[in-house]
Amino acid sequence: MTNLLAIAIGSAFISNVVLSQFLGICPFLGVSKKVKTAVGMGSAVVFVITLASAVAGVIYQYVLVPLQITYLQTIVFILVIAALVQFVEMFLKKTMKGLYQALGVYLPLITTNCAVLGVALSNVQKGYTILEGIVNGFAVAFGFLISITIMAGLRESMEYNDIPKAFRGMPHVLLTAGLMAIAFFGFAGLK
């Protein structure tokens, strides 16, 4: 149990996928304009990464390893992720049209989000069991949700600030992300 807790804290805060590993930057910067859409995107990423970790772990352990075709792991993981994102996209389109439209092009980008594939591959590389992989996947995605929500909140609150012309737009966002990364670096002492 303590091992799972250590994996969860380490993946969500210490090795935050966006702020320390720099994976998943595209949706992080693109969808973090409003808190509502950021939470929606973060929730979709939590669902996809957690489920992808479980399915990829099962496929790796019970199909790829016994058949000695582990060299196909990247291709198989990409196919699993693409199928899961299609499922999420269909679900949101049917049940939450507003969120589906607000996420726009960024929802299909979860398929190519390197954070999703990165988690599946790191679970294998670190030798995690299926349960450890699921915990790691959920924690990584939860860390992404925390990061994107904080960024959206900061961007909303700073929208009406008097910012020098040279720093308006993306320079301001990148500086904010850098400061967030420095702040999350403070969690490194938890290990």
Side-chain angles (χ1 to χ4, degrees):
M1 187 63 177
T2 56
N3 184 38
L4 295 178
L5 184 62
I7 290 171
I9 290 173
S11 296
F13 299 108
I14 299 167
S15 299
N16 186 282
V17 71
V18 175
L19 300 174
S20 69
Q21 296 179 21
F22 308 111
L23 298 174
I25 296 290
C26 181
F28 176 72
L29 296 175
V31 184
S32 63
K33 293 177 183 160
K34 300 285 179 204
V35 171
K36 186 176 181 181
T37 55
V39 169
M41 174 58 106
S43 300
V45 168
V46 167
F47 178 77
V48 169
I49 288 183
T50 305
L51 204 55
S53 296
V55 174
V58 168
I59 290 173
Y60 183 81
Q61 290 290 331
Y62 297 110
V63 177
L64 299 179
V65 170
L67 295 176
Q68 297 178 353
I69 53 173
T70 55
Y71 57 88
L72 293 176
Q73 69 188 11
T74 304
I75 295 169
V76 171
F77 293 168
I78 289 171
L79 292 173
V80 166
I81 292 164
L84 289 172
V85 170
Q86 288 299 314
F87 172 72
V88 169
E89 189 172 5
M90 289 186 304
F91 176 78
L92 288 178
K93 191 173 186 178
K94 286 278 188 192
T95 60
M96 301 176 200
K97 288 188 187 272
L99 179 59
Y100 174 77
Q101 290 172 344
L103 292 176
V105 70
Y106 293 101
L107 186 58
L109 280 178
I110 296 175
T111 303
T112 58
N113 186 343
C114 53
V116 183
L117 180 60
V119 170
L121 291 174
S122 73
N123 287 343
V124 169
Q125 290 170 351
K126 293 178 180 177
Y128 286 156
T129 64
I130 294 171
L131 178 61
E132 290 172 338
I134 292 169
V135 169
N136 182 52
F138 177 79
V140 165
F142 186 71
F144 179 85
L145 173 64
I146 290 169
S147 301
I148 197 169
T149 305
I150 291 171
M151 175 61 94
L154 290 171
R155 285 178 77 174
E156 276 186 8
S157 67
M158 292 185 290
E159 187 174 339
Y160 302 107
N161 290 355
D162 187 28
I163 299 169
K165 206 174 214 175
F167 290 103
R168 290 184 191 153
M170 198 50 66
H172 182 251
V173 173
L174 291 174
L175 281 171
T176 305
L179 292 172
M180 285 177 60
I182 291 169
F184 268 71
F185 186 66
F187 290 117
L190 292 176
K191 239 181 185 178

